[in-house]
């Protein structure tokens, strides 16, 4: 580990967030070169090396930061095609943790961390939490799910390394969450914004006014949410609601985070180098222009990602933030360039639902997914066409078939769906890209 890394790890009020830009760019270049070298020589299945050869680029060709544009992109399908470990560069003995996230079909994608990667991740999370004004004096409840999802453990390690008191409740059991929040003097909560709305609603049912508790901040992410939702949360509960962004492929939560200005998310760009491209032409766009966010990890050992196409749509904000941080900001992410849905914080692709439906006889490949939100919680209804014979056979077996489908969907994506049948040809046919998702959640 270099000295600058050491300093920062033991000095949470991270100097790097405020470093003069030439110094930051120098650090990024040095780390980019190291990352490219690592991916080129050590990636287990050699995909990066093959793509570099096809593009006629060698690691030594990377001489300045702009040269990043010569490097090939990577996408989620690469992780699926090299499942589970093909993109790893570290030997298995050095990998201390695995996490996973939904792939576009049945299998998840797998990501890994060395000890140093966990330190880098915790450091990014410390900086994220400090940006929201949190410190070792806080009692932080982590209500993101613990497990293969990166949210729970990512926030946990960050908060613990910050020196805060961590309350690892994970998701679910909302009444207990509220009891813990009240009794343990929780001052900040980390969860999805929709789950927090649900907590707030439940609390009011229980006759508890969250304004009377010590809770003062929320670190909310893992799904898109709007400025209107922030106002509602802040207005109803009296806390300050901060947006945190991240993705498993890059590290998990802590890639970018709002500061107290609440105006765009600072990217911890000494660790994660951002570019924005036009998703059609794949050409880089200047700062300020909206496009697809592409990220390159600069300090990750186990599974470096180079020019990873996130599918998240945003723009890099060129102006310096009033908080004084020099690291750049991105606009909050409201949508994606693909059809991934985020339901109760879980990533779900229509293709996964489709695969589950089509395993069952008598169902047609015509379906739509209706998303609604009730009391802050997302509900998914799947409307699927059935053959005319089955539709006429109203009494026998319909319910059990619905259960079978709901089970198939649950075992693929882990979400309970309501299944309803539609008469043959009743679901609109498309002439182009099928519109499978009807999102009534108003986010
Ligand atoms: O959701 C990591 C995370 C956990 C971030 C906790 C923040 C808090 P994945 O499950 O791999 O990782 O999903 C990543 O979720 O590409 C975005 O589309 C979406 N996403 C994450 N944070 C935000 C956010 C985690 N603040 C995918 N706003 C990403 C909008 C978000 N979308």
């Amino acid at each position: 580990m270099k000295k600058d890394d050491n300093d920062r790890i033991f000095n949470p009020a991270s100097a790097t967030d405020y470093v003069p830009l030439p110094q930051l760019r120098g650090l990024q270049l040095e780390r980019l070169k190291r990352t490219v070298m690592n991916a080129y020589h050590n990636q287990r299945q050699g995909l990066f090396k093959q793509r570099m050869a096809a593009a006629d680029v060698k690691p030594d060709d990377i001489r300045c930061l702009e040269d990043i544009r010569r490097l090939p992109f990577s996408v989620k399908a690469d992780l699926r095609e090299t499942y589970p470990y093909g993109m790893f560069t570290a030997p298995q003995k050095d990998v201390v943790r695995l996490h996973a996230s939904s792939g576009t079909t049945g299998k998840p994608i797998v990501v890994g961390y060395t000890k140093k990667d966990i330190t880098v991740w915790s450091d990014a999370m410390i900086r994220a939490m400090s940006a929201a004004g949190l410190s070792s004096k806080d009692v932080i409840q982590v209500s993101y799910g613990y497990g293969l999802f990166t949210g729970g453990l990512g926030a946990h390690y960050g908060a613990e390394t910050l020196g805060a008191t961590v309350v690892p409740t994970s998701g679910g059991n909302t009444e207990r969450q509220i009891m813990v929040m009240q009794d343990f003097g929780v001052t900040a909560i980390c969860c999805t914004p929709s789950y927090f709305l649900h907590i707030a609603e439940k609390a009011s049912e229980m006759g508890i006014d969250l304004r009377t508790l010590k809770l003062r901040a929320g670190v909310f992410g893992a799904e898109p949410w709007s400025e209107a939702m922030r106002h509602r949360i802040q207005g109803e509960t009296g806390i300050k609601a901060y947006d945190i962004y991240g993705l498993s492929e890059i590290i998990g939560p802590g890639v970018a985070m709002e500061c107290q200005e609440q105006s765009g998310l600072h990217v911890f760009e000494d660790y994660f180098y951002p570019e924005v491209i036009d998703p059609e032409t794949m050409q880089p766009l200047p700062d300020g222009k909206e496009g697809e966010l592409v990220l390159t990890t600069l300090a990750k050992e186990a599974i470096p990602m180079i020019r990873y196409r996130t599918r998240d749509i945003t723009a890099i904000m060129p102006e310096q933030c009033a908080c004084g941080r020099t690291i750049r900001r991105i606009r909050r992410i409201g949508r994606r360039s693909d059809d991934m849905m985020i339901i109760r914080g879980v990533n779900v692709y229509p293709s996964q639902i489709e695969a589950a439906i089509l395993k069952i006889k008598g169902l047609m490949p015509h379906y739509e997914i209706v998303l609604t939100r009730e009391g802050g919680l997302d509900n998914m209804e799947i409307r699927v066409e059935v053959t005319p014979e089955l539709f006429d056979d109203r009494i026998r077996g319909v319910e059990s078939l619905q259960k079978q489908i709901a089970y198939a969907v649950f075992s693929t994506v882990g979400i309970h769906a309501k299944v309803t049948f539609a008469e043959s040809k009743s679901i609109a046919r498309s002439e182009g890209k099928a519109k499978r998702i009807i999102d009534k959640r108003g986010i």
Side-chain angles (χ1 to χ4, degrees):
M1 209 174 348
K2 284 178 55 84
K3 186 175 177 303
D4 70 292
D5 289 328
N6 257 325
D7 281 352
R8 194 172 42 250
I9 285 156
F10 297 111
N11 174 14
S14 167
T16 313
D17 290 354
Y18 301 90
V19 92
L21 285 180
Q23 201 178 322
L24 177 61
R25 302 285 171 251
L27 180 64
Q28 287 172 321
L29 177 60
E30 184 195 312
R31 288 182 176 173
L32 175 67
K33 287 180 179 172
R34 229 189 293 162
T35 300
V36 169
M37 214 46 110
N38 181 24
Y40 189 84
H41 291 293
N42 302 323
Q43 204 180 59
R44 294 193 199 169
Q45 234 163 281
L47 189 64
F48 181 64
K49 193 172 188 171
Q50 284 163 26
R51 293 213 176 125
M52 289 282 275
D56 198 21
V57 187
K58 288 265 167 14
D60 284 342
D61 294 332
I62 305 303
R63 297 195 190 94
C64 62
L65 269 181
E66 287 65 41
D67 286 337
I68 197 170
R69 298 176 177 189
R70 303 183 62 185
L71 299 172
F73 291 105
S74 49
V75 291
K76 196 166 207 153
D78 297 340
L79 287 153
R80 191 183 62 222
E81 278 153 25
T82 57
Y83 177 85
Y85 297 139
M87 305 267 289
F88 282 46
T89 51
Q92 206 69 30
K93 71 172 179 48
D94 293 340
V95 176
V96 298
R97 172 105 63 86
L98 297 176
H99 281 287
S101 159
S102 308
T104 44
T105 51
K107 294 264 190 213
I109 55 125
V110 181
V111 293
Y113 306 77
T114 63
K115 268 194 183 145
K116 169 128 183 270
D117 291 339
I118 298 282
T119 313
V120 163
W121 189 9
S122 303
D123 185 48
M125 281 304 293
I126 287 179
R127 290 160 65 184
M129 289 182 177
S130 309
L134 306 182
S135 72
S136 57
K137 298 194 185 101
D138 280 286
V139 180
I140 303 179
Q141 182 163 348
V142 179
S143 310
Y144 286 118
Y146 280 62
L148 286 176
F149 177 52
T150 52
L153 283 166
H156 182 108
Y157 271 61
E160 199 168 272
T161 318
L162 180 67
T165 309
V166 187
V167 188
T169 43
S170 193
N173 205 343
T174 309
E175 289 188 11
R176 196 159 141 262
Q177 300 262 4
I178 296 164
M179 180 196 79
V180 163
M181 189 183 287
Q182 189 172 31
D183 296 353
F184 296 6
V186 167
T187 57
I189 185 165
C190 306
C191 62
T192 60
S194 57
Y195 189 51
F196 186 70
L197 273 183
H198 183 62
I199 291 179
E201 195 175 69
K202 191 60 150 205
S204 96
E205 275 168 33
M206 290 161 70
I208 296 170
D209 181 358
L210 292 185
R211 294 159 180 285
T212 61
L213 308 189
K214 291 198 172 142
L215 193 70
R216 62 183 176 83
V219 179
F220 300 136
E223 64 186 10
W225 55 303
S226 56
E227 213 40 51
M229 175 106 124
R230 188 205 315 267
H231 285 135
R232 194 168 142 197
I233 291 176
Q234 296 191 155
E236 282 178 14
T237 66
I239 68 166
K240 254 188 128 177
Y242 296 95
D243 195 359
I244 186 166
Y245 168 77
L247 61 165
S248 321
E249 295 89 324
I250 296 302
I251 205 146
V255 172
M257 171 78 187
E258 282 181 341
C259 64
Q260 292 182 51
E261 300 293 321
Q262 294 180 308
S263 164
L265 291 81
H266 289 279
V267 181
F268 300 109
E269 58 170 314
D270 51 316
Y271 288 153
F272 318 109
Y273 188 80
E275 297 170 87
V276 169
I277 62 162
D278 177 332
E280 303 293 323
T281 64
M282 295 183 8
Q283 289 307 309
L285 294 170
D287 285 3
K289 283 263 178 300
E290 188 176 270
E292 178 181 336
L293 180 66
V294 168
L295 291 165
T296 299
T297 61
L298 296 179
K300 202 134 140 282
E301 291 179 337
I303 168 165
M305 292 304 285
I306 290 166
R307 301 196 87 199
Y308 183 73
R309 294 188 57 183
T310 64
R311 302 285 176 183
D312 292 317
I313 303 292
T314 184
I316 293 177
M317 299 167 70
E319 324 76 36
Q320 210 199 310
C321 182
C323 75
R325 283 177 178 78
T326 48
I327 51 173
R328 283 173 293 175
R329 286 169 295 163
I330 50 172
R331 276 196 222 136
R332 73 186 310 155
I333 286 152
R335 64 190 175 93
R336 294 176 51 88
S337 69
D338 66 5
D339 54 3
M340 187 178 93
M341 306 169 276
I342 304 183
I343 305 170
R344 301 190 177 198
V346 179
N347 303 348
V348 180
Y349 288 90
S351 51
Q352 291 175 297
I353 308 276
E354 183 170 303
I357 290 174
L358 293 182
K359 278 188 201 143
I360 297 164
K361 250 182 90 187
L363 301 184
M364 317 275 280
H366 303 295
Y367 62 93
E368 58 192 18
I369 300 161
V370 185
L371 302 176
T372 50
R373 180 165 283 174
E374 230 175 284
L377 277 190
D378 296 336
N379 296 315
M380 172 165 67
E381 177 184 340
I382 300 169
R383 297 187 63 232
V384 55
E385 274 187 23
V386 290
T387 53
E389 302 77 50
L390 202 114
F391 197 79
D392 288 340
D393 189 6
R394 282 165 203 273
I395 307 156
R396 208 162 34 89
V398 165
E399 223 174 275
S400 89
L401 190 59
Q402 282 170 334
K403 277 197 189 132
Q404 210 182 324
I405 301 166
Y407 180 74
V409 169
F410 181 74
S411 55
T412 311
V413 299
I415 288 180
H416 292 284
K418 178 178 167 199
V419 177
T420 50
F421 288 149
E423 206 167 337
S424 172
K425 304 221 168 51
S426 66
I427 291 179
R429 303 293 190 257
S430 82
E431 289 177 349
K433 224 169 134 54
K435 190 174 173 341
R436 304 249 182 242
I437 306 162
I438 301 169
D439 197 338
K440 298 182 175 167
R441 293 177 294 180
I443 36 178

